[in-house]
Amino acid sequence: MHAPVKPTAATPPRSPFGPALALRLAWRDLRGGLRGFGVFIACLALGVMAIAAVGSASRGLTEGLHREGRRILGGDVAFSLIHREATAVERSFLEGRGALSTIATMRGMANAGDKGAALVELKAVDSTYPSIGEVVSEPAGPLSDLLSQSNGSFGAIADPVLLGRLDLKIGDTISVGSARVQLRASLVSEPDKIASGVGFGPRVLVSQDALRATGLLQPGSLVRWTYRVSLPPTASDDTALERLIADAGHQQPDAGWEIRSRANAAPSFQRNLERFTQFLTLVGLTALLVGGVGVANAVRRFVEAKKLDFATLKAIGATGGHVVAIHLTEVMIVAALGIAIGLLLGAAAPFALGYALRDLLPLPFEPTLAPGELVIAALYGLLTALVFAILPLGRAHDVPVSALFRDQIEPDLRRPRLVYLGVFLAALIGLVGVAVAFAYDRRIALIYIAVAAGIFLLLRLVAWTLMALARRSPRPRNPALRMALANAHRPGALTPSLVLSLGLGVALLSALAFIDVSLTRQLTQSLPDKAPSFFFLDIPNGQSARFDSFIAETRPGATLERVPMMRGRITSLNGVRAEQIKASEQAAWVLDGDRGITYAETMPEGSIITAGEWWPPGYRGEPLVSFDAPIAAGLGLKVGDSVTVNVLGRNITARIANLRTIEWRSLGINFVMVFSPNTFAGAPHTNLATVTSGTDATASADAQLLRRLAVEFPSVTAVRVKDALEAVNTIVSQLATAIRGASGLAIASSLLVLAGALAAGQHARLYDAMILKTLGATRRFILSSYALEYAGIGFVSALFGVVTGALAGWGVVTQVMKIEFVSDPTGAILAATAAIVVTVLFGLFGTLKILSKAPASHLRNL
């Protein structure tokens, strides 16, 4: 027998190909630099940064709300009642559970005599306020001294907005209802501002004795009493918190409390934060998907530049799978670099935001590193890179060495193997799964994904159609135009990349433009023409006739509409408690807190019955209710179902007699729930009225009406609709600015992709330009042909973008915002024009660089 031959240095053992070898070869290849990957890295970094920053900032706000829940709420648990104070039994129950503090909030009119009158948000506090945190005023002083009664006047701390609105200063005296109130300090901050919500008027802080002296506390007045319980330190854990809430429901089932705990101190704000976070995350995902086109372009350029390497590897025995594995590893390493940059910037963004806005944010925002959100952002980036990189790389698997060398002239159009298509589909499903799994509203996420997929497919169809038309169109006599048409459909044409990047960018800009103009028109033009001039709240039922005469005297010819109004909270539907109802996102708000309700003999104007029938005149049967049809659908209600509402501490159950649609945009008086008159027979209530004066009423006439109203009806609150619209307009404008800023990330990605696509095409254009110059073509001819090509592709892409953006804007405006769509294309046309100009300029800039080079140095390489 022969001894086994030991391997020598000349005959090394064969090592199987594996991930370690692929990684080593990829890393060695990357030592040559990252040239050509600039746009690739920038696109991924931009999208990942947006998602990471939004997620981290949202986490900082959410944790701040949870951490500061007791301070925001003013205790561990808050129990709110509408119209009435807690009974002795209810108050005794709360006092037995911990330290109790009370506040009351309602609207009122501040009368400054000749200086005018203004709507204010009154907040009446007891001697224990604030039990947590502190009130900051200017000048500073003990709260008891600033709010105490002296010389016949009660003290008050007022929002500086009120001082400016009525030209007041500290020390001046105003009237609120029947009470005289001296402004002793301006309000800088209050610890529970978020929990109190946003009001239409400036805040005025007074004592509860002052509130009682105003005479505003009438039966049925819209006052909210909030009782805050601070649990003892020995019983302040979550178990004790849940036990208190459960006991309140069992021991006081008919109290009609709205209960909040420190865990959900500001539920409305939390929901809005989650919605806005999802929107911004989708914007970031849009930037990432647009950037994915840049990734695909960069990978195609990478594959083209690596032809000789592919050929060499295959010539020495490497399989197609080896070639793809090595270079896919290389691409994913570069992707990891871009993702890492995006994660660093996204993690740092909340800290920069917190520092820049530390004096402006009224929120408990403390920046923090959010590992979970950063992992999600990284996952988005990795899956996006894989989705857009695998197919261009997969093409190289089965292409023979000879085809690789001539691919620039005759590209191989065979499809990638099924394994690469499978990897592509798996990565795509993973990307969709991540987007849906981590969405606040999965329905919106699915709609977004479907729309994004549809736009991508449509843009590919537009590109193919444009290339087919260019290929089949008759050849014009003009040489520059003929060359432009040929370039549009030639092998390796820029048409698909340019159409995709430009179409997405213009579609986004156009959608924003249509949404913006529709919102602006709705707020500034259409509403004031048909909306009431004033809303009047808390009109005492016994003074309603005198109020009607007052309006007829001060506003002759004006239209007055007045209805009874109460506040009630839905406690159960068909016997199921409201907390257990699985409502749709569009209807859930009806179950959150109290709602305005009324009763009526006839159906209110602006309503159309869609199911059931209205009750007959003089109806005296079981309590009936008319319900808003879309809200009923969101709550799973139908005609014949029962609704239980707590009003003035009593649970009243009514059967749904009919469903109706409501025209809310008219701003007329209407309610989600309208009851039959016998439901509230004898119940104390106030009245709500609207006055429509037409367009001839001046601001001075409105001011005079408010001054007289404050004197003759001190308990009545007036809301000037123009002021309310201006407040809403301010909020909408701020949101629109934030949306534009966030969408700028997606637009920046489009510009990067555009620049990358043009840069990728310059390699092929280099030899074209050199040959044309050698054959005698002038610089003007070459530039004009390329300019025509870029302008033609840009025009078609921009036209598609405008049409698509208009459709998307129409969907958002009419289906989400429920307002009238304004088809003003000015902004969209400006966006499209800018896109065409940018395309031509970017393209010609690269061409000029090519034309500045000598032909000889390049032609010898052909």
Side-chain angles (χ1 to χ4, degrees):
M1 295 180 65
H2 296 283
V5 179
K6 294 183 179 181
T8 64
T11 59
R14 297 180 64 187
S15 60
F17 184 87
L21 180 59
L23 179 61
R24 187 162 66 250
L25 293 175
W27 187 254
R28 286 180 179 178
D29 195 37
L30 284 173
R31 292 177 182 175
L34 299 175
R35 185 176 181 181
F37 282 112
V39 172
F40 180 108
I41 293 172
C43 287
L44 280 178
L46 195 62
V48 170
M49 179 196 72
I51 295 174
V54 169
S56 298
S58 175
R59 174 63 60 184
L61 282 170
T62 301
E63 290 183 354
L65 288 173
H66 289 166
R67 184 172 52 253
E68 299 293 328
R70 292 187 77 245
R71 180 178 65 83
I72 294 170
L73 193 66
D76 292 300
V77 188
F79 299 82
S80 296
L81 294 169
I82 297 296
H83 294 304
R84 69 179 184 91
E85 296 183 65
T87 65
V89 174
E90 293 165 348
R91 190 177 183 98
S92 176
F93 168 80
L94 298 177
E95 289 173 340
R97 298 307 180 102
L100 183 66
S101 64
T102 308
I103 68 167
T105 54
M106 69 181 304
R107 296 185 180 95
M109 297 298 294
N111 183 13
D114 294 338
K115 293 183 177 181
L119 173 70
V120 295
E121 300 283 341
L122 291 173
K123 181 174 181 178
V125 301
D126 62 9
S127 58
T128 64
Y129 178 87
S131 56
I132 303 172
E134 63 176 346
V135 174
V136 180
S137 63
E138 180 61 40
L143 194 62
S144 57
D145 294 343
L146 293 175
L147 303 184
S148 64
Q149 183 181 14
S150 64
N151 299 323
S153 297
F154 293 92
I157 303 175
D159 190 318
V161 172
L162 178 64
L163 303 180
R165 186 170 294 174
L166 296 180
D167 190 24
L168 299 170
K169 61 182 182 300
I170 300 301
D172 287 348
T173 300
I174 60 175
S175 296
V176 180
S178 303
R180 288 176 56 81
V181 177
Q182 184 184 37
L183 306 178
R184 296 178 183 166
S186 61
L187 182 62
V188 178
S189 67
E190 50 188 322
D192 51 350
K193 181 177 181 179
I194 299 176
S196 300
V198 179
F200 287 110
R203 171 79 73 208
V204 175
L205 211 62
V206 296
S207 67
Q208 291 183 8
D209 289 337
L211 178 63
R212 297 183 194 282
T214 62
L216 299 179
L217 296 179
Q218 301 292 328
S221 295
L222 294 181
V223 58
R224 175 186 289 267
W225 290 91
T226 303
Y227 299 84
R228 298 161 169 182
V229 178
S230 297
L231 297 173
T234 56
S236 59
D237 59 0
D238 290 343
T239 302
L241 197 70
E242 294 170 0
R243 187 184 306 117
L244 170 57
I245 296 173
D247 289 347
H250 294 146
Q251 298 183 29
Q252 306 292 330
D254 296 328
W257 278 321
E258 177 189 344
I259 304 175
R260 292 184 186 177
S261 73
R262 63 184 181 227
N264 65 336
S268 179
F269 178 83
Q270 182 68 42
R271 283 194 299 273
N272 290 332
L273 173 63
E274 289 170 343
R275 292 189 190 103
F276 200 56
T277 297
Q278 177 174 4
F279 169 77
L280 293 180
T281 300
L282 292 179
V283 171
L285 183 57
T286 301
L288 201 54
L289 292 178
V290 173
V293 180
V295 169
N297 291 338
V299 172
R300 289 191 192 96
R301 187 178 180 185
F302 171 74
V303 170
E304 183 179 332
K306 290 291 183 180
K307 287 177 184 177
L308 292 177
D309 293 350
F310 292 173
T312 302
L313 287 170
K314 285 194 171 185
I316 62 175
T319 66
H322 295 163
V323 171
V324 174
I326 293 168
H327 293 89
L328 178 60
T329 303
E330 187 172 348
V331 167
M332 295 311 292
I333 290 174
V334 177
L337 174 61
I339 292 168
I341 294 172
L343 291 177
L344 286 174
L345 294 174
F351 291 90
L353 178 68
Y355 177 79
L357 302 179
R358 62 187 183 278
D359 297 327
L360 300 177
L361 286 175
L363 308 171
F365 176 59
E366 292 187 12
T368 180
L369 287 175
E373 281 68 19
L374 296 179
V375 169
I376 293 172
L379 195 57
Y380 272 120
L382 284 172
L383 290 172
T384 300
L386 186 58
V387 166
F388 286 92
I390 187 62
L391 293 184
L393 278 171
R395 265 193 69 235
H397 184 109
D398 291 319
V399 180
V401 174
S402 59
L404 282 169
F405 280 112
R406 66 170 183 269
D407 192 51
Q408 181 179 331
I409 300 172
E410 187 182 351
D412 191 282
L413 299 179
R414 71 185 70 191
R415 296 178 180 176
R417 286 194 171 196
L418 289 179
V419 63
Y420 302 119
L421 291 173
V423 173
F424 167 78
L425 289 175
L428 184 60
I429 292 171
L431 186 59
V432 171
V434 170
V436 173
F438 295 104
Y440 172 71
D441 188 331
R442 293 181 178 177
R443 184 183 67 89
I444 292 178
L446 288 171
I447 292 174
Y448 167 83
I449 291 167
V451 170
I455 289 177
F456 266 85
L457 292 175
L458 282 174
L459 285 168
R460 295 295 295 179
L461 180 62
V462 169
W464 290 333
T465 303
L466 182 59
M467 294 175 70
L469 291 175
R471 187 180 299 112
R472 291 172 174 78
S473 63
R475 297 294 177 259
R477 294 181 177 273
N478 186 296
L481 184 56
R482 188 163 61 249
M483 182 176 170
L485 280 174
N487 285 338
H489 66 82
R490 59 175 287 178
L494 296 176
T495 305
S497 298
L498 291 184
V499 168
L500 200 55
S501 57
L502 264 181
L504 284 172
V506 175
L508 180 60
L509 282 170
S510 299
L512 288 174
F514 280 110
I515 294 170
D516 189 40
V517 73
S518 297
L519 270 176
T520 302
R521 186 74 58 84
Q522 185 75 9
L523 289 170
T524 61
Q525 295 184 25
S526 61
L527 281 178
D529 291 338
K530 56 187 177 183
S533 305
F534 286 95
F535 278 87
F536 295 97
L537 311 173
D538 288 341
I539 304 170
N541 203 33
Q543 300 180 16
S544 56
R546 189 163 69 88
F547 178 82
D548 294 351
S549 300
F550 169 79
I551 294 298
E553 176 189 347
T554 55
R555 285 294 167 92
T559 302
L560 171 67
E561 182 181 1
R562 179 172 51 79
V563 298
M565 181 179 177
M566 292 170 282
R567 303 289 289 185
R569 185 172 65 89
I570 296 177
T571 58
S572 65
L573 301 174
N574 291 322
V576 180
R577 293 190 63 82
E579 297 81 7
Q580 301 172 357
I581 300 295
K582 302 295 183 181
S584 69
E585 178 65 22
Q586 291 72 29
W589 63 272
V590 175
L591 302 178
D592 182 21
D594 60 285
R595 303 266 72 83
I597 58 176
T598 189
Y599 59 85
E601 190 83 21
T602 59
M603 185 171 62
E605 292 185 10
S607 297
I608 299 175
I609 291 181
T610 59
E613 296 180 352
W614 196 263
W615 42 84
Y619 175 78
R620 294 294 182 268
E622 64 173 322
L624 299 177
V625 63
S626 173
F627 219 93
D628 175 82
I631 298 297
L635 297 176
L637 297 175
K638 62 184 184 300
V639 173
D641 288 345
S642 66
V643 177
T644 301
V645 181
N646 187 281
V647 181
L648 295 171
R650 293 178 53 201
N651 283 334
I652 297 174
T653 300
R655 181 174 59 83
I656 298 179
N658 60 75
L659 304 176
R660 71 192 195 286
T661 58
I662 303 171
E663 178 54 62
W664 295 106
R665 288 178 295 177
S666 65
L667 289 188
I669 299 179
N670 226 315
F671 297 81
V672 171
M673 293 177 286
V674 178
F675 290 83
S676 57
N678 62 307
T679 305
F680 300 110
H685 65 268
T686 59
N687 287 268
L688 166 69
T690 62
V691 172
T692 305
S693 304
T695 58
D696 56 342
T698 63
S700 60
D702 288 347
Q704 184 179 4
L705 184 148
L706 291 177
R707 283 196 296 270
R708 289 194 56 186
L709 179 79
V711 173
E712 299 189 29
F713 296 90
S715 64
V716 175
T717 300
V719 178
R720 190 168 179 257
V721 173
K722 289 183 179 179
D723 295 337
L725 290 178
E726 288 175 2
V728 173
N729 192 21
T730 300
I731 295 173
V732 171
S733 298
Q734 292 171 346
L735 288 175
T737 301
I739 290 170
R740 293 189 198 104
S743 302
L745 293 172
I747 295 165
S749 288
S750 295
L751 291 176
L752 281 172
V753 172
L754 176 62
L758 292 169
Q762 298 306 327
H763 181 71
R765 299 298 169 89
L766 173 65
Y767 295 104
D768 293 347
M770 296 302 104
I771 292 174
L772 288 170
K773 285 182 68 176
T774 303
L775 295 176
T778 63
R779 177 175 297 194
R780 179 179 179 182
F781 170 78
I782 297 174
L783 288 175
S784 62
S785 64
Y786 287 167
L788 288 171
E789 176 191 355
Y790 298 142
I793 297 174
F795 175 78
V796 174
S797 305
L799 181 62
F800 171 84
V802 170
V803 174
T804 306
L807 292 174
W810 174 85
V812 171
V813 168
T814 60
Q815 305 304 311
V816 178
M817 297 181 175
K818 305 294 183 182
I819 62 176
E820 184 178 352
F821 178 71
V822 178
S823 57
D824 183 354
T826 305
I829 291 174
L830 289 175
T833 304
I836 296 172
V837 172
V838 168
T839 303
V840 174
L841 292 179
F842 272 19
L844 294 185
F845 177 75
T847 305
L848 282 172
K849 290 178 62 178
I850 291 174
L851 294 177
S852 64
K853 299 179 180 181
S857 61
H858 297 283
L859 292 178
R860 68 170 60 100
N861 295 322
L862 288 175

